[in-house]
Amino acid sequence: MQIQDLPYPDPGVPDARSGSRFLVWLGRNQLRGQLKSLAWGLLHFMSVSALPFCVGLAIQAVVDRSGARLGLAGGLMALCGIGIALGDTMLHRTAVTNWITAAARVQQLLARRTALLGSALTRRVAAGEVVAVSTGDVEKIGWFVEAVSRFTAAAVTIVLVCVALVVYEPALGIVVAVGVPVLALAVLPLLPRATRRADFQREKAGRATELASDTVAGLRVLRGIGGEELFLDRYRRASQEVRQAAVRSARMWSLISAIQVLLPGLLLIAVVWHGVNLAQEGRITVGELVTVYSAVMLLSYPLHHFEEIAMAYSFSKPSAKRAARVLSLERATDGEGSREAVVPTGDLYDPATGMLAPAGRLTAVVCGDPDAAGVLAERLGGHAADSSELPSALVGGVPLDELPLDSARTAVLVQDKDPVLLSGSLRELLDVPASGDVSAEEALAAAQCGDVLDALAQGSLNADDPMDARITERGRSLSGGQRQRLALARSLLTDPGVLVLDEPTSAVDSHTEARIADGIRSLRQGRTTVVFTSSPLLLDHADRVVLVHEGEVAAVGVHRELLHSESRYRVVVTREPDDNTDKATAHDTARLKGLAELADEDMSELEEIEETA
């Protein structure tokens, strides 16, 4: 896989049982790139390691006054130079390719898992952790994958050089062959502590990222309630904890680096001291001494990759562990489904509550508990809760959890109460899979986005067309009502067979809400639409209103009938106090009944006024 071939047609099925297994799986899938990098690494390191032998041959040729051997040494040095340049260039190229392709594979896997889990992801993993995994952790995992081939080439080179020194000059070669493994393994006792400190640092950084994400997302609200400084102080403290953890981790790695400098120096001193004694005794030549000295000096270069692979593994292991945790999450139902990939049509029915939304009708659902409404809306779209054992919703008698995920989401589209607007132009925001029967202009008009278009045009100096105006991240430059209307327009443009809207006008004023209600009813004529709301303006436009109380359908009818016949419905819609509580005293109960009667009289008068008008 080359960089220009990204993204992967299929990133594969990861082994997410643990962080280590995930890294091994990545390495297996990068095997071809790793072998290329290993080959170029061996060429580079072997060319570097061969230089001391060439230098020793040249010096001995000068001592012996042999021009032929001096010319041979020069030719060999030229070949080593070519090998060093070519090997280093291609090693860097292939290693970086391994890094980028591995990171891209992990990002594709994370994106696929996020799309598969949907809203269930943020219920099981904090949003800040997801951000940390998809940014910093992906980079560290790619670093380890990239470093493996260079470390392997360096390790093979060291073994070959030690063997060559033993054959070339046994008296000094044995000293080097014994000392080099000690150098390579000397830092092993420090690695567990360094790994723990790196893991602790990443944990603190993840918490700080999560806190920063939450603070930025709620900045508008925090400013309104005067809590901005409070959350900023919390982030400052979290940031200081990250700094302290990073300093402690850096101290350990500086100690490891110091050992990697100190021990090769001691080995070099020992080799020189012993080699000088052997030269004085006439047991080795000057050229042999220079060769061994140069070889030991250059061995510090491949030995440096032992420290790098240790650092890469220590940082990538916790990152891989977090990535594996996200990738191991599964849907409550099989994403492949047990039925063929067809898009069902017909009535939408929830067996758990008994809620029925007839095909081609606008159905409003009233729930006293907003959280219960959100759970029901997700279940209607086939997004079952992880721990839910309730039966799946049915479209035309077909259970959504038995359909492939793509078919289920094509059949039913759910817009939750807090929809997300991605950054980019308005044209890109509305570039969604759609039936083609609804135009962008019709969807924007139905959602009453005229003033939103004007605001976007005024805020974009270089955009003559409002559709080319830029929308900031999550639409933070827009008000809550404007974001809500743009999200509604996007859902209406998609034009699914079944559209489920959870509180689509909660941040909109009553005049705009009335026009939106007309727009939804007109644009969705003949299509199945379910709206979770307690707004009388939307309820009055519904063909059918369903009251869900304590997880079951308690009443079905139209808005005005339910206002008079169902006290529980009236409590939710008109915000009246509950007059059926068992804990009220007799006096309080009588008083509440009187208020209810007055409310009924007022409602009758309002209806008479409306009819007269």
Side-chain angles (χ1 to χ4, degrees):
M1 173 63 70
Q2 298 297 318
I3 296 177
Q4 63 265 25
D5 298 327
L6 294 175
Y8 287 94
D10 180 11
V13 180
D15 185 350
R17 288 176 290 177
S18 67
S20 300
R21 291 177 182 272
F22 180 60
L23 290 175
V24 171
W25 178 84
L26 269 180
R28 289 202 308 266
N29 282 270
Q30 302 281 130
L31 188 58
R32 184 176 180 181
Q34 294 286 353
L35 291 176
K36 286 183 179 180
S37 184
L38 175 61
W40 291 114
L42 285 174
L43 175 62
H44 173 65
F45 288 122
M46 293 303 297
S47 298
V48 171
S49 301
L51 282 176
F53 295 94
C54 298
V55 172
L57 180 62
I59 292 176
Q60 193 61 41
V62 172
V63 172
D64 297 340
R65 298 180 181 275
S66 173
R69 282 188 291 164
L70 183 62
L72 175 63
L76 292 176
M77 292 180 68
L79 289 177
C80 288
I82 295 173
I84 291 172
L86 180 61
D88 189 29
T89 300
M90 297 306 297
L91 172 61
H92 178 75
R93 180 186 179 89
T94 54
V96 171
T97 299
N98 290 337
W99 186 338
I100 295 176
T101 52
R105 185 187 296 273
V106 178
Q107 286 180 327
Q108 281 187 247
L109 290 170
L110 290 171
R112 186 173 66 177
R113 184 61 50 177
T114 301
L116 178 66
L117 293 172
S119 60
L121 176 63
T122 53
R123 290 199 301 265
R124 301 168 66 179
V125 181
E129 184 172 350
V130 177
V131 173
V133 170
S134 59
T135 53
D137 286 340
V138 166
E139 181 180 354
K140 288 177 174 57
I141 293 171
W143 175 29
F144 174 74
V145 173
E146 175 263 344
V148 166
S149 57
R150 288 190 288 111
F151 162 73
T152 305
V156 172
T157 300
I158 290 174
V159 172
L160 293 177
V161 169
C162 289
V163 172
L165 287 177
V166 171
V167 175
Y168 179 74
E169 179 50 57
L172 289 177
I174 293 176
V175 175
V176 176
V178 172
V180 168
V182 175
L183 299 182
L185 302 177
V187 298
L188 284 182
L190 299 177
L191 289 181
R193 182 177 298 180
T195 301
R196 287 194 299 271
R197 292 190 178 185
D199 194 6
F200 182 74
Q201 176 193 351
R202 293 299 302 158
E203 180 182 352
K204 291 292 184 181
R207 291 178 180 176
T209 302
E210 180 180 352
L211 181 59
S213 177
D214 293 341
T215 302
V216 172
L219 192 58
R220 187 187 299 270
V221 177
L222 291 176
R223 286 175 175 171
I225 63 177
E228 181 180 4
E229 286 300 324
L230 175 63
F231 274 76
L232 288 177
D233 288 339
R234 291 181 182 176
Y235 179 74
R236 291 189 188 100
R237 290 194 297 270
S239 178
Q240 288 302 312
E241 291 177 358
V242 175
R243 182 189 63 80
Q244 294 170 2
V247 170
R248 292 183 71 250
S249 179
R251 287 173 180 169
M252 183 57 63
W253 286 111
S254 64
L255 176 60
I256 292 175
S257 298
I259 293 175
Q260 290 291 313
V261 173
L262 175 63
L263 294 184
L266 294 177
L267 177 63
L268 188 61
I269 292 173
V271 169
V272 171
W273 178 77
H274 185 53
V276 169
N277 290 333
L278 293 177
Q280 289 177 344
E281 295 173 2
R283 297 171 58 184
I284 62 173
T285 64
V286 175
E288 292 172 339
L289 175 61
V290 172
T291 298
V292 176
Y293 168 79
S294 302
V296 174
M297 184 176 63
L298 289 179
L299 276 179
S300 61
Y301 174 50
L303 278 172
H304 171 72
H305 291 81
F306 282 74
E307 176 191 352
E308 182 189 13
I309 194 64
M311 182 179 294
Y313 179 73
S314 298
F315 278 93
S316 66
K317 184 178 179 180
S319 297
K321 182 179 179 181
R322 278 188 291 270
R325 180 191 172 199
V326 175
L327 294 175
S328 64
L329 298 177
E330 297 290 345
R331 281 175 50 86
T333 57
D334 185 10
E336 297 298 328
S338 58
R339 292 176 178 259
E340 60 178 330
V342 296
V343 179
T345 58
D347 297 342
L348 176 64
Y349 177 67
D350 177 43
T353 59
M355 198 283 297
L356 173 67
R361 307 282 294 279
L362 173 59
T363 302
V365 180
V366 177
C367 288
D369 183 0
D371 294 333
V375 172
L376 177 55
E378 291 184 355
R379 191 163 65 247
L380 292 178
H383 307 278
D386 301 322
S387 59
S388 176
E389 298 181 356
L390 298 175
S392 169
L394 292 81
V395 176
V398 179
L400 289 175
D401 60 1
E402 296 182 6
L403 290 172
L405 186 61
D406 291 341
S407 299
R409 291 187 174 175
T410 302
V412 183
L413 173 65
V414 179
Q415 177 183 303
D416 61 23
K417 60 173 59 69
D418 187 23
V420 176
L421 299 183
L422 301 179
S423 58
S425 67
L426 180 57
R427 193 183 307 279
E428 294 170 341
L429 176 69
L430 298 179
D431 185 15
V432 294
S435 66
D437 295 334
V438 178
S439 66
E441 292 74 15
E442 291 174 331
L444 290 169
Q448 299 299 308
C449 293
D451 62 317
V452 184
L453 297 179
D454 294 338
L456 289 174
Q458 293 175 2
S460 300
L461 299 178
N462 299 325
D464 297 330
D465 188 347
M467 296 294 289
D468 296 324
R470 303 293 297 179
I471 299 175
T472 57
E473 182 186 3
R474 299 181 68 91
R476 291 195 176 97
S477 60
L478 303 172
S479 67
Q482 290 173 329
R483 290 196 301 269
Q484 202 169 54
R485 281 178 283 164
L486 283 179
L488 176 59
R490 179 177 58 189
S491 299
L492 294 174
L493 176 63
T494 303
D495 191 34
V498 179
L499 176 61
V500 179
L501 304 172
D502 188 3
E503 295 290 351
T505 59
S506 58
V508 177
D509 63 84
S510 58
H511 297 288
T512 305
E513 188 177 30
R515 293 194 296 269
I516 290 176
D518 288 331
I520 293 176
R521 183 176 180 85
S522 175
L523 195 62
R524 295 288 300 174
Q525 188 71 34
R527 299 175 180 85
T528 307
T529 308
V530 179
V531 181
F532 285 82
T533 183
S534 59
S535 167
L537 293 172
L538 284 174
L539 294 170
D540 199 36
H541 282 76
D543 300 316
R544 174 186 175 93
V545 178
V546 179
L547 172 64
V548 177
H549 181 69
E550 295 182 353
E552 295 181 352
V553 172
V556 179
V558 295
H559 171 58
R560 302 195 180 204
E561 291 178 356
L562 292 175
L563 276 177
H564 294 288
S565 61
E566 182 57 57
S567 59
R568 290 171 295 184
Y569 178 83
R570 187 166 54 248
V571 166
V572 176
V573 174
T574 64
R575 275 63 169 180
E576 290 182 0
D578 191 353
D579 57 353
N580 293 321
T581 177
D582 296 333
K583 297 181 180 179
T585 62
H587 173 74
D588 292 336
T589 302
R591 182 172 177 270
L592 291 173
K593 288 182 178 179
L595 291 174
E597 292 175 358
L598 290 175
D600 288 338
E601 294 176 1
D602 291 340
M603 187 59 65
S604 299
E605 293 178 1
L606 287 174
E607 291 178 355
E608 292 177 359
I609 293 174
E610 290 177 357
E611 292 176 358
T612 303

